[in-house]
Amino acid sequence: ANTGGTVKNAVGASVTLHADHAGDVQATLTENAVTGTGGTFAGDVRGGVAYVFAETGTATATLTKNTVDLTDAALDDAHIRAGHAVARTRAAGKTASAASNENVLLLKNASGTAQNLIGGNAYVEADLGGATAAADSNSVTVEGGTLTAASDVYGGTVGAIGKDAPVTASASENTVTLSAAAPWGQIRGGRANANAEGAAATATASKNTLNLAYGTFTSEIIGGYAIADGAPAQATANENTVNISGGIYQARIYAGAADAGSTTGSVATVKDNRIVITGTPNLSAAQLYGYKANGATENIAGNALVVKETKGIKAKRIDGFQKLEFWLPAGMTKDDTMLWLSSVSNTDLTGTDITA
């Protein structure tokens, strides 16, 4: 805990294990924390971090319920991760697995500069075997304050690499809530990347939630993003929600995205994702998309844009929505417009279900 002064590279708990000879390697970190009221935090700030490396056996790293909780803190190019898990094995037929789940990153009334605000991060690599990575049910919350620089924000992000055995990656049920003044960079509720050489790769980024209320959003926003490269590859991004209630938006916003490549047998699924607009956000430079998909087979359905109890919303364009829902605000008249688009090029609403 810090109540004043400057702290560089603060870690609640850290484990590094390297087995050069026979044996499996396993590390578990639970309920560790970095907390502070006031003071300055610079460099890496991590609630819990585990690195495990195996030469002849399996490698497993598990982080659960670790926390970074800072109030009235000044940040100096801080790279903050509540949970960070890395596992690697070089052994033939052995697996690497990492899980970074239920971790919490909370900033209240922060100032200064921040990079890479991440709730849960997991990375695994198996040189000659299968790999599994998960960053699920994590949260990032930034309330109040002013950041003069802010880079990428991820609720959960994972990477998994393996060979000759199945690889899976999951970044699901994460939540990002941003209500601070900042020039926000890339925002992802969940991002999952699975890469398998000579085997199946499966990536899932589903049921993530973004709550965006304040600041200037300068880069691409995606509710859930799944990427898979394997034989075959399957990427799924379902039931993600992007709630927009305030702020200024200058780039593309996707409810969900899945990239499984174009190789025969690859499947990209993006279903039932939503962008929900309330309040009075400035979306005049934004492009809103229900989905982004790349696959030999693309399963697309139920992606919705919801304009809820507000009017006078202006956006650059919309596309890729199978549903448009308009919830009429109180005092709506025949002269009012709920959603106005400055460009209709490449906007195709054929087959879109529109309800009000």
Side-chain angles (χ1 to χ4, degrees):
N2 180 36
T3 57
T6 299
V7 176
K8 186 173 183 179
N9 300 330
V11 179
S14 177
V15 173
T16 299
L17 299 175
H18 194 155
D20 292 325
H21 303 291
D24 299 334
V25 184
Q26 180 174 334
T28 300
L29 294 177
T30 303
E31 297 185 358
N32 302 285
V34 174
T35 63
T37 300
T40 299
F41 290 82
D44 290 331
V45 181
R46 302 180 184 184
V49 55
Y51 296 95
V52 296
F53 304 94
E55 294 291 339
T56 63
T58 62
T60 304
T62 304
L63 275 77
T64 309
K65 296 183 179 180
N66 298 282
T67 302
V68 174
D69 185 348
L70 306 178
T71 299
D72 298 325
L75 306 180
D76 182 6
D77 281 334
H79 299 250
I80 306 178
R81 304 181 183 192
H84 182 68
V86 176
R88 182 178 181 182
T89 179
R90 298 180 184 273
K94 299 298 183 178
T95 60
S97 62
S100 186
N101 300 330
E102 299 181 70
N103 303 290
V104 176
L105 192 168
L106 176 59
L107 301 178
K108 292 184 178 180
N109 299 318
S111 62
T113 56
Q115 309 289 336
N116 299 325
L117 301 178
I118 298 173
N121 178 68
Y123 177 80
V124 295
E125 188 169 347
D127 289 6
L128 298 168
T132 301
D136 299 330
S137 301
N138 302 286
S139 69
V140 175
T141 302
V142 185
E143 299 178 353
T146 300
L147 298 177
T148 55
S151 187
D152 300 341
V153 181
Y154 295 90
T157 180
V158 300
I161 299 173
K163 184 177 180 180
D164 299 330
V167 173
T168 62
S170 173
S172 297
E173 299 188 49
N174 300 289
T175 302
V176 172
T177 301
L178 303 177
S179 58
W184 299 112
Q186 287 189 357
I187 311 296
R188 306 283 189 268
R191 181 183 185 274
N193 192 332
N195 187 304
E197 182 180 344
T202 303
T204 304
S206 295
K207 297 184 178 180
N208 299 287
T209 302
L210 298 178
N211 300 310
L212 310 178
Y214 203 74
T216 300
F217 296 84
T218 63
S219 299
E220 186 179 71
I221 296 168
I222 304 178
Y225 191 11
I227 306 161
D229 183 2
Q234 181 170 315
T236 301
N238 292 342
E239 298 182 65
N240 298 287
T241 301
V242 181
N243 294 312
I244 300 173
S245 60
I248 301 170
Y249 298 82
Q250 301 175 338
R252 297 184 177 189
I253 304 171
Y254 292 92
D259 185 351
S262 57
T263 304
T264 300
S266 66
V267 179
T269 300
V270 191
K271 294 182 178 181
D272 301 322
N273 301 282
R274 302 197 308 162
I275 296 177
V276 181
I277 302 171
T278 59
T280 56
N282 183 344
L283 293 159
S284 60
Q287 304 171 62
L288 310 179
Y289 297 89
Y291 73 95
K292 178 168 63 173
N294 179 32
T297 298
E298 297 177 0
N299 299 319
I300 310 299
N303 301 295
L305 174 62
V306 181
V307 181
K308 188 173 183 180
E309 298 176 352
T310 188
K311 59 184 179 180
I313 299 296
K314 296 182 179 181
K316 189 172 183 179
R317 61 174 288 193
I318 64 172
D319 200 16
F321 295 101
Q322 292 75 59
K323 298 179 181 180
L324 296 181
E325 299 180 16
F326 295 93
W327 296 42
L328 300 181
M332 182 80 176
T333 72
K334 63 181 180 62
D335 297 320
D336 292 326
T337 301
M338 292 185 68
L339 178 63
W340 182 85
L341 302 178
S342 62
S343 173
V344 294
S345 63
N346 298 320
T347 296
D348 185 0
L349 299 181
T350 302
T352 302
D353 182 17
I354 302 176
T355 60

